[in-house]
Amino acid sequence: MEEKKDSVDSPVGDTKLDVANVTNNDDTKEGKGGIQNYLRIFRYADTTSWTLNCLAFSTAIGSGVTLPLMTVIFGNSIASFNNFSVDGNASQNFESTIYQYILYFVYLFVAKLVLTYISTLCISIAAIRTTRAVRQAFLEHTLRQEIWHFDKQDNGAIAIQVSTNGNRINQGIADKLAIFVQSTSMFLASFVVALAIQWKLALITFTCIPAIFLFVSGTLAADAVIEAKVVKIYSRAGALAEEAFSSIRTVHAFWAQKKMVKKYDELLQAAHVEGNKKSPIYGILFSAQFFCVYSAIALSFWQGYRMYVGGEVADVGKVFSVVFATLIATNAISALAPQFPTFANASGAATELFTMLDKPSKLDPLSDSGQKPAKCNGQIEVRQLKFEYPARPGVTVLNGLDLSIPAGKTTALVGASGCGKSTLVGLLERWYERSSGSIELDGLDIEKCNTKWLRSRIRLVQQEPVLFRGTVYQNVANGFVDEQLNLPEEKKMALIREACTASNAHEFIEQLPQVWAELLTFRILLLDEATSALDPKAEQIVQDALDRISENRTTLVIAHKLSTVRSADNIAVISDGMIAEQGTHDKLLEHQGLYAKLVAAQDLFEEEAAAGTGTEDQGTLTKEISKKPSLLRRETSIAKEDPTTTSEVTTKNAESMNYSLVRCLYIMLSEQRPMYAYQAILVIVSVVGAGTFPAQAVLFSRILQVFNLSGSEGQHEANFWALMFFVVALANLLAYFTCGVVCNIISQFVTHVYRREMFSNILGQDMAFFDLPHHTSGALTSKISTIPTSLQELISINLSLILINFVNIISSSILALAYGWKLGLVVTFGGLPPLLLSGYARIRLETNLENRTSDRFAESAGLASEAVSAIKTVSSLTLESSILEEYSNILGGLVRKSSLSLCWTLSWYALSQSIEFLIMALGFFYGSRLLARGEYTIDQFYVIFVGVLFAGQAAAQFFGYTSSITKATNAANYILWLRNLKPTIREDSLNIDSKPGDDSGNVKLSELNFKYAQRPSLVLKDLSFEIQSGQFAAFVGPSGCGKSTMISLLERFYDPTSGTISFANNPISTYSPRLYRQAVSLVQQEPTLYSGSVRDNIALALETDDPASIPDDLITSACHQANAFDFVQSLPQGLATPCGGRGLQFSGGQKQRIAIARALIRKPRLLLLDEATSALDTNSERIVQQALDQAKEGRTTIAVAHRLSTIKHADVIFVFGTGRVVEMGTHAELLARRGRYYDMCMTQGLDQPV
């Protein structure tokens, strides 16, 4: 059935959610938003930034004073105009006086131009510098945290923290702050000017100030608390998105996109509910200010007339100066109002970051504390070691372990998955603190050692190796320790070449057009399943390299593939957290204990021994190994290029529809049907709010006439027009309260809809989308947060204020033209076009700057995300300082380039903010001439002048929103581009009901060729073979030969370049991808578990909207089949036990068994196993293999394996080489053939001579 479009469905009310649980389930104290956290941001400003800030604040104050000074000029001009109206013969005097006033306007223009430019430029540069310091401090404190901090599933995504929260802080302390200071200065200067002119009337008029500040402070405090909760929820949503993007193959394999979107939407719903609580707050915040100011204006006219009649005010110009000062204060408040949500957002973002910055590290890798012995021999003694993971209290992993690891010798650990082997490595690396017992290095307890010194003496090669962004040289150089970092470049290169040669990586690196080896200064080598993912030949080469590197070094090897540890000096078998037996390979075999049983389970030559073929000399093998095949594994990365899709995503510059803002807003607002009523209300109240300004001009002209009246008539008229101003105040109260409420409702709805739509659309893309360099999981997570936030920033109160300013410009200009077309035409078309041109130039320049800045921030967010995702590798290699330095360099480049761009961009902004004074000068010049010639009355002149004054100020304020406009335009274009980016492999109307038939599970390849879009050579060449329904087939061969590529093609992650793949007698391209993948299950080499319970992770494979409805029997049955039931039952909460972020709560073998249970629960007809048992110990592997053997009954099973013991009972084995099948047959047949497969088996045969 066809799904409804996300963008028109209401996200509100569809999901019942415990919001309190979502916002407060953190086990640490949640930070509260508030002004103190906003002010705390400035502690990260250095001397230069403070100098720039001080200069910016002082010039912003000066810039704010210019407009109140204009009221003095305007008030004085009233006397000149009145004198001229009384004595028409004084025209020459009148014109010379007016020319003097015009000159003052020019002076004010120059002053505001320069002061605005300096203030905005300085504060923008200072903001970038300060935000950089906050980002760096946050990443540094994150990297300082103990490893178990990262086991928590509710930690927010690092990409969200450093990008979205960093951007919000930057916005809150940059030009918005300058506008705030300028507007505050304007407000206070207006008050001072009014006091200087007529103190009593000024004090009466400005009684609104205390009320305004009371309302503002109260609403901001309430808003900051809610914003802190919203930021926390969005951070958790970002962590979920990052998990999904980083494991996109698993999501697609189980067609779990809808489930991921549902989980993501539950968090968005929680944020939506919290965000809606802001509506009355914003209504009060905006309406109270305008109501107070206009009420004060009404009071000032009423009281001013009484004081004028009573003789307290001799000059009517003073009354109008005070009133005009109040009007300027009104405009200042209208500029202040939209800044408060920005400050609240910055405060909320800062609260989230400061939660990490305030968290003390219990095991700081960058601390200088601890001993740093001059020499490290490598003798390790483990005594009575006990340990429980902090996230799983009560579950003892190591229970009194005693082990001696002699210096310069190789010690191997073997045993069942979860028995504590990798845990011991973590304790040696000091990733965790032991419960009791001791670990000593050369007689010194490692807890007394400096953490960085300890880790620099140890080198770890993990089961899932991590390569970081950058070149091969940079990845190898990550192994440098402190003293090597200061060596000359030539010596560094020599060390890198030496390390690559020692690790057998040098030859294939030389063949690359542009791996990672360990540098040779360490004393202790830890190998945690270092060769589990390699084919036999590559394993032999790497094993030779590791044997050579480990010579004269203390080496601890963890292995399930026992052929890699048989030459160890001591082998320790761990069971139930204790040493069960230990000794050499031969002695343990003689003992016939646990180890002997493990060895027997991996014997590959049972059939051949019976046939008498097991005594063949290994000359063939040695000859093959001497060829040293490439160890480079080809990434299954870029999909087949499609002209309608992939070409659109190959460059970052193409990621936009290039629509105008108006078109984008029309599309987005028109499709939000549930918001139509709110949009209509918003337009109406915005027109009412905008009508205030021309209404003021008319009221102003009417009140002028009141001062020419006397007696009861004058008092009556004064009372009436003052009442009219109060009516305007009431209209503003209603209009702006409604604006605040409605805008928040719309913005919360829109950001919810488009966050969900972006997440859904990204999850639906082909693999090619995720394989592009700029589409890392961190970069995409950053986009999914920053882009809707940028859109929300505009579609909030800003949208209403922009609409109000736009209507103000039009209505005030029309009023000016209606009252006097000559002067109206001159000031409207002579003054507004330059203002609009300067504002447009700023928008264009800022758009380009925003695009470049966005890319740079995405790069820095990707680096931070990458570092945290591979935190164990980072800590093991002591890369914290290097990563911080690289991060600092990226942000430093951003500061330099952005600062240079701002110098030119902000000049246009300053012009748009100051040119109104030239428009006033033009109005005074031409208006005075019209008055002198008798063409206009003073009443006409004042109405036109005031109308144009408000229009100019509205236009200037409109261009004050250009940063919001720019970001929103880019954001909307990206969202619409993403919506129009259709994946090649998708469910559509043609295939929606097409699925494999129920009667067959055969797989057939016909002349299949495949190459990746960005690589010239074919990866698979002319493959044609068939696997019968119900058969167990195996793909084996060296790394890079195309085995895993075949699995990707069978899953239909990619389509072949040519040829076809058929399943159930039909090409898989004719099936619905969803229905086809329902019949297929995949277990990958690196299992992926998601935040949530064990039950949730297993149930992910079933298509149901309610995982709770899945019977427990079905879950437990899958666990039994995968040999996962016992260890799951032993967990504190059983199936309800949280897995933690990326499954970090479990060992590799435990994760793999949960992943196998997830694959088996859907009862697939085609089971794909890509190194499915590589992380299992021998006993678990045997049991799981038996389960898989049982599970394969009635279904087709295809396995990729390097550990050949797992596939020796396969019905057919395909041996791949350079993209082709070079051998095919059963295990016995291929052994008898003594070809490539035979050589691979010889490498892994434990009963063969060493």
Side-chain angles (χ1 to χ4, degrees):
M1 68 189 74
E2 193 162 347
E3 297 178 10
K4 293 182 179 180
K5 192 176 180 182
D6 280 346
S7 56
V8 297
D9 290 342
S10 172
V12 183
D14 294 339
T15 307
K16 292 183 179 179
L17 190 67
D18 184 356
V19 177
N21 182 55
V22 172
T23 56
N24 296 306
N25 65 348
D26 198 349
D27 59 356
T28 59
K29 184 178 180 181
E30 183 177 321
K32 300 293 182 183
I35 190 65
Q36 67 274 12
N37 282 331
Y38 177 80
L39 297 176
R40 184 179 165 188
I41 296 170
F42 294 96
R43 295 183 190 176
Y44 293 88
D46 58 15
T47 304
T48 302
S49 298
W50 267 118
T51 303
L52 290 171
N53 276 328
C54 291
L55 181 60
F57 293 154
S58 58
T59 50
I61 291 171
S63 177
V65 169
T66 54
L67 201 56
L69 289 178
M70 183 275 298
T71 64
V72 178
I73 300 171
F74 188 76
N76 291 337
S77 69
I78 289 179
S80 299
F81 284 120
N82 284 341
N83 291 337
F84 176 73
S85 63
V86 173
D87 185 6
N89 296 322
S91 62
Q92 189 172 358
N93 245 359
F94 169 70
E95 289 190 19
S96 64
T97 304
I98 293 302
Y99 290 159
Q100 185 65 42
Y101 292 147
I102 292 171
L103 192 58
Y104 291 153
F105 279 122
V106 175
Y107 292 157
L108 289 175
F109 160 72
V110 174
K112 188 165 186 181
L113 176 68
V114 174
L115 293 172
T116 302
Y117 177 74
I118 294 174
S119 66
T120 313
L121 178 63
C122 289
I123 206 166
S124 297
I125 295 174
I128 295 173
R129 293 174 59 89
T130 304
T131 308
R132 175 188 65 177
V134 174
R135 284 185 164 110
Q136 288 178 200
F138 174 79
L139 183 58
E140 179 182 339
H141 278 73
T142 301
L143 295 181
R144 283 179 179 271
Q145 292 303 309
E146 60 278 1
I147 292 295
W148 61 87
H149 165 81
F150 301 95
D151 294 346
K152 299 174 185 176
Q153 65 176 351
D154 53 2
N155 285 318
I158 189 73
I160 298 294
Q161 304 281 25
V162 299
S163 58
T164 304
N165 289 343
N167 289 346
R168 285 185 166 191
I169 289 174
N170 185 76
Q171 291 166 11
I173 63 173
D175 57 326
K176 305 290 187 183
L177 181 57
I179 293 173
F180 176 83
V181 173
Q182 178 183 319
S183 300
T184 304
S185 168
M186 187 188 304
F187 185 88
L188 296 177
S190 300
F191 181 56
V192 171
V193 167
L195 280 175
I197 294 172
Q198 222 298 323
W199 67 269
K200 185 176 180 180
L201 182 59
L203 287 175
I204 293 172
T205 303
F206 280 86
T207 50
C208 60
I209 292 178
I212 290 173
F213 280 103
L214 182 65
F215 281 117
V216 169
S217 59
T219 52
L220 283 183
D223 182 52
V225 173
I226 296 174
E227 182 62 22
K229 294 180 180 180
V230 172
V231 169
K232 182 73 175 176
I233 298 171
Y234 279 148
S235 184
R236 290 188 56 210
L240 172 64
E242 191 170 30
E243 271 191 332
F245 296 152
S246 62
S247 59
I248 191 64
R249 290 170 185 265
T250 301
V251 173
H252 274 245
F254 293 105
W255 206 257
Q257 295 96 316
K258 287 183 67 176
K259 287 188 176 181
M260 289 294 176
V261 171
K262 182 180 179 183
K263 289 176 68 176
Y264 188 73
D265 192 47
E266 287 177 354
L267 292 169
L268 296 184
Q269 177 65 37
H272 192 160
V273 171
E274 287 295 321
N276 275 345
K277 294 177 182 178
K278 294 183 174 188
S279 296
I281 293 175
Y282 284 168
I284 295 170
L285 174 65
F286 296 119
S287 63
Q289 298 173 67
F290 287 98
F291 174 74
C292 289
V293 170
Y294 285 114
S295 296
I297 292 174
L299 178 62
S300 66
F301 271 124
W302 180 77
Q303 180 64 23
Y305 180 80
R306 294 182 64 188
M307 294 175 70
Y308 177 73
V309 171
E312 292 184 66
V313 178
D315 185 1
V316 66
K318 292 185 177 182
V319 175
F320 281 94
S321 291
V322 171
V323 172
F324 244 89
T326 308
L327 290 174
I328 298 300
T330 304
N331 285 322
I333 289 200
S334 68
L336 279 173
Q339 314 314 324
F340 293 128
T342 304
F343 300 149
N345 291 342
S347 177
T351 300
E352 178 76 0
L353 295 184
F354 291 152
T355 300
M356 172 61 70
L357 290 169
D358 292 337
K359 183 180 182 297
S361 174
K362 299 176 182 177
L363 196 61
D364 187 351
L366 296 177
S367 172
D368 290 328
S369 63
Q371 299 182 35
K372 301 178 183 179
K375 185 179 181 181
C376 177
N377 295 319
Q379 178 72 30
I380 300 173
E381 298 290 341
V382 180
R383 297 190 181 97
Q384 287 298 303
L385 186 63
K386 292 187 178 182
F387 176 73
E388 298 176 358
Y389 281 99
R392 304 210 309 265
V395 179
T396 302
V397 181
L398 296 178
N399 189 18
L401 185 78
D402 285 293
L403 180 64
S404 178
I405 305 174
K409 302 292 185 181
T410 298
T411 302
L413 300 180
V414 299
S417 294
C419 69
K421 304 184 299 296
S422 296
T423 298
L424 180 58
V425 169
L427 291 172
L428 287 171
E429 287 275 4
R430 291 205 69 196
W431 290 340
Y432 302 95
E433 294 287 16
R434 57 184 179 256
S435 303
S436 64
S438 66
I439 303 175
E440 294 182 355
L441 174 60
D442 297 338
L444 178 65
D445 194 314
I446 63 171
E447 287 194 352
K448 297 180 180 178
C449 296
N450 175 266
T451 304
K452 186 172 183 179
W453 176 90
L454 175 67
R455 290 173 180 170
S456 67
R457 268 55 186 177
I458 299 174
R459 280 295 176 262
L460 169 66
V461 181
Q462 294 174 274
Q463 181 177 318
E464 299 173 6
V466 175
L467 292 181
F468 295 97
R469 62 171 66 205
T471 64
V472 173
Y473 174 92
Q474 291 169 330
N475 270 276
V476 179
N478 281 336
F480 281 130
V481 293
D482 288 345
E483 56 268 22
Q484 294 171 322
L485 291 171
N486 299 320
L487 293 174
E489 201 64 32
E490 302 77 24
K491 291 188 177 181
K492 286 184 181 179
M493 179 60 76
L495 283 173
I496 288 173
R497 289 184 181 277
E498 179 186 354
C500 292
T501 302
S503 61
N504 275 346
H506 183 264
E507 288 194 11
F508 87 82
I509 288 175
E510 289 295 322
Q511 297 171 6
L512 296 174
Q514 320 240 319
V515 134
W516 180 34
E518 301 286 352
L519 297 170
L520 308 178
T521 60
F522 57 91
R523 293 300 307 158
I524 302 169
L525 179 62
L526 306 179
L527 306 174
D528 188 358
E529 287 288 343
T531 61
S532 64
L534 299 179
D535 64 87
K537 293 181 181 179
E539 177 188 17
Q540 182 66 46
I541 294 170
V542 172
Q543 194 62 50
D544 289 344
L546 293 175
D547 290 343
R548 186 163 59 253
I549 294 171
S550 64
E551 194 171 331
N552 298 322
R553 288 183 171 86
T554 304
T555 305
L556 181 65
V557 182
I558 293 175
H560 292 145
K561 201 182 294 184
L562 301 181
S563 61
T564 62
V565 301
R566 60 187 175 184
S567 61
D569 297 298
N570 185 41
I571 300 173
V573 182
I574 300 181
S575 178
D576 297 325
M578 298 182 289
I579 301 296
E581 59 184 30
Q582 59 180 316
T584 63
H585 171 73
D586 293 335
K587 288 182 179 179
L588 289 173
L589 286 180
E590 291 173 6
H591 187 260
Q592 289 297 305
L594 290 175
Y595 183 77
K597 293 179 181 179
L598 297 176
V599 170
Q602 290 191 12
D603 186 9
L604 291 168
F605 285 87
E606 295 165 349
E607 294 91 337
E608 192 186 19
T613 60
T615 59
E616 182 67 25
D617 185 82
Q618 290 191 334
T620 307
L621 172 62
T622 305
K623 182 178 178 182
E624 283 293 329
I625 291 178
S626 66
K627 295 177 182 178
K628 292 188 178 179
S630 169
L631 302 186
L632 179 64
R633 181 179 180 125
R634 300 176 187 272
E635 288 184 22
T636 50
S637 55
I638 306 299
K640 171 187 170 185
E641 185 170 5
D642 183 278
T644 63
T645 55
T646 306
S647 61
E648 294 182 58
V649 298
T650 52
T651 63
K652 290 180 280 188
N653 295 332
E655 296 181 352
S656 175
M657 297 299 292
N658 293 319
Y659 291 165
S660 66
L661 176 66
V662 174
R663 184 174 180 181
C664 290
L665 286 178
Y666 174 77
I667 293 171
M668 291 184 163
L669 294 178
S670 64
E671 64 191 15
Q672 309 303 329
R673 290 185 180 275
M675 295 290 104
Y676 277 4
Y678 291 108
Q679 292 172 18
I681 293 171
L682 181 62
V683 171
I684 292 170
V685 296
S686 294
V687 170
V688 172
T692 299
F693 299 98
Q696 281 183 107
V698 174
L699 289 175
F700 185 79
S701 66
R702 296 294 179 265
I703 288 176
L704 267 176
Q705 299 173 6
V706 171
F707 284 88
N708 295 324
L709 302 175
S710 60
S712 60
E713 182 185 3
Q715 188 62 56
H716 178 269
E717 289 294 307
N719 292 343
F720 176 78
W721 293 114
L723 179 62
M724 290 301 100
F725 257 111
F726 184 71
V727 170
V728 170
L730 291 174
N732 275 269
L733 177 67
L734 178 62
Y736 282 97
F737 181 84
T738 308
C739 271
V741 172
V742 171
C743 280
N744 187 63
I745 291 173
I746 294 174
S747 71
Q748 295 296 334
F749 183 92
V750 168
T751 190
H752 183 165
V753 165
Y754 288 114
R755 280 179 188 268
R756 184 181 62 185
E757 180 184 316
M758 278 189 69
F759 185 63
S760 178
N761 286 341
I762 290 175
L763 283 184
Q765 295 304 317
D766 289 330
M767 290 301 123
F769 180 87
F770 300 93
D771 294 332
L772 291 169
H774 58 284
H775 283 168
T776 63
S777 59
L780 289 174
T781 305
S782 176
K783 279 185 177 293
I784 206 174
S785 176
T786 56
I787 285 177
T789 300
S790 297
L791 191 62
Q792 183 184 20
E793 186 183 333
L794 180 67
I795 304 179
S796 58
I797 192 65
N798 285 348
L799 182 62
S800 176
L801 294 177
I802 288 172
L803 180 59
I804 288 172
N805 284 328
F806 180 75
V807 175
N808 180 7
I809 294 170
I810 301 299
S811 57
S812 295
S813 299
I814 291 173
L815 177 68
L817 290 171
Y819 260 74
W821 65 269
K822 286 185 178 181
L823 181 58
L825 281 176
V826 169
V827 293
T828 300
F829 294 100
L832 291 183
L835 190 154
L836 297 174
L837 180 63
S838 61
Y840 176 76
R842 190 222 175 176
I843 291 178
R844 295 290 297 178
L845 292 168
E846 197 170 56
T847 300
N848 295 331
L849 176 61
E850 175 65 23
N851 286 333
R852 294 193 298 270
T853 304
S854 175
D855 292 340
R856 294 186 198 118
F857 274 132
E859 180 186 3
S860 65
L863 172 63
S865 176
E866 181 184 66
V868 173
S869 298
I871 188 62
K872 289 187 175 180
T873 301
V874 170
S875 65
S876 174
L877 290 171
T878 63
L879 293 178
E880 293 90 352
S881 297
S882 300
I883 286 171
L884 290 173
E885 182 180 357
E886 182 180 355
Y887 188 69
S888 176
N889 289 337
I890 293 175
L891 293 182
L894 176 66
V895 170
R896 288 189 296 273
K897 293 177 181 177
S898 297
S899 299
L900 290 173
S901 300
L902 286 171
C903 291
W904 176 241
T905 302
L906 292 179
S907 63
W908 292 98
Y909 170 71
L911 180 61
S912 69
Q913 296 301 295
S914 55
I915 201 171
E916 60 181 305
F917 286 112
L918 290 184
I919 299 174
M920 293 179 199
L922 179 63
F924 257 79
F925 170 73
Y926 190 57
S928 63
R929 299 195 65 180
L930 291 172
L931 280 171
R933 292 201 295 263
E935 295 185 43
Y936 275 26
T937 64
I938 293 178
D939 180 55
Q940 281 181 294
F941 172 77
Y942 279 144
V943 170
I944 296 169
F945 181 81
V946 173
V948 173
L949 171 65
F950 290 141
Q953 289 182 348
Q957 287 181 14
F958 176 85
F959 291 116
Y961 298 109
T962 53
S963 60
S964 297
I965 293 171
T966 300
K967 292 175 183 176
T969 304
N970 292 335
N973 273 290
Y974 184 86
I975 291 171
L976 295 175
W977 169 82
L978 193 61
R979 177 187 294 177
N980 285 279
L981 185 66
K982 301 300 181 185
T984 304
I985 302 170
R986 66 181 185 272
E987 189 174 63
D988 55 31
S989 58
L990 298 178
N991 63 25
I992 191 169
D993 296 320
S994 179
K995 63 180 181 178
D998 298 329
D999 55 346
S1000 176
N1002 67 306
V1003 175
K1004 183 177 181 180
L1005 276 67
S1006 301
E1007 299 179 351
L1008 183 138
N1009 291 280
F1010 178 75
K1011 68 175 181 179
Y1012 296 113
Q1014 296 182 359
R1015 298 180 185 174
S1017 58
L1018 290 171
V1019 178
L1020 297 174
K1021 307 167 187 175
D1022 298 323
L1023 289 184
S1024 296
F1025 59 79
E1026 185 170 2
I1027 301 170
Q1028 297 299 324
S1029 180
Q1031 275 193 326
F1032 175 25
F1035 297 159
V1036 300
S1039 297
C1041 67
K1043 307 183 300 298
S1044 292
T1045 299
M1046 271 304 314
I1047 296 294
S1048 294
L1049 291 171
L1050 287 168
E1051 266 286 354
R1052 211 186 165 206
F1053 291 151
Y1054 306 96
D1055 281 336
T1057 305
S1058 63
T1060 60
I1061 301 175
S1062 298
F1063 177 69
N1065 302 315
N1066 288 303
I1068 63 174
S1069 58
T1070 62
Y1071 298 137
S1072 157
R1074 176 178 60 86
L1075 297 177
Y1076 169 66
R1077 288 173 186 162
Q1078 280 183 353
V1080 181
S1081 272
L1082 170 67
V1083 182
Q1084 297 183 87
Q1085 179 177 315
E1086 298 175 3
T1088 299
L1089 298 184
Y1090 300 97
S1091 297
S1093 67
V1094 174
R1095 178 192 176 90
D1096 292 339
N1097 273 276
I1098 295 174
L1100 185 75
L1102 299 177
E1103 286 199 34
T1104 174
D1105 293 332
D1106 183 15
S1109 65
I1110 299 172
D1112 286 342
D1113 292 345
L1114 198 59
I1115 302 286
T1116 54
S1117 174
C1119 291
H1120 277 296
Q1121 291 182 59
N1123 191 31
F1125 183 77
D1126 290 339
F1127 98 79
V1128 170
Q1129 286 299 104
S1130 70
L1131 297 173
Q1133 298 170 265
L1135 287 169
T1137 302
C1139 294
R1142 297 181 176 84
L1144 290 177
Q1145 303 274 10
F1146 301 115
S1147 69
Q1150 291 170 332
K1151 287 194 293 183
Q1152 193 71 288
R1153 280 182 277 173
I1154 294 173
I1156 292 172
R1158 180 170 61 197
L1160 295 179
I1161 196 173
R1162 70 192 310 183
K1163 300 177 181 178
R1165 290 164 55 196
L1166 176 60
L1167 182 61
L1168 304 177
L1169 307 173
D1170 189 357
E1171 287 289 341
T1173 60
S1174 65
L1176 299 180
D1177 62 273
T1178 304
N1179 187 51
S1180 295
E1181 177 189 37
R1182 178 176 54 80
I1183 297 173
V1184 170
Q1185 197 62 50
Q1186 291 174 356
L1188 291 175
D1189 290 343
Q1190 296 171 5
K1192 71 183 177 64
E1193 295 299 326
R1195 63 170 59 95
T1196 306
T1197 303
I1198 299 175
V1200 170
H1202 290 143
R1203 199 186 302 180
L1204 302 181
S1205 61
T1206 63
I1207 52 90
K1208 63 183 180 181
H1209 298 299
D1211 298 309
V1212 60
I1213 299 171
F1214 297 91
V1215 183
F1216 281 73
T1218 61
R1220 291 185 170 89
V1221 174
V1222 295
E1223 290 179 1
M1224 182 176 69
T1226 64
H1227 175 71
E1229 290 170 352
L1230 292 172
L1231 285 179
R1233 209 177 283 177
R1234 295 179 180 251
R1236 293 195 186 186
Y1237 182 78
Y1238 173 82
D1239 292 340
M1240 294 163 66
C1241 288
M1242 288 287 288
T1243 307
Q1244 293 186 14
L1246 290 173
D1247 58 348
Q1248 302 303 304
V1250 180

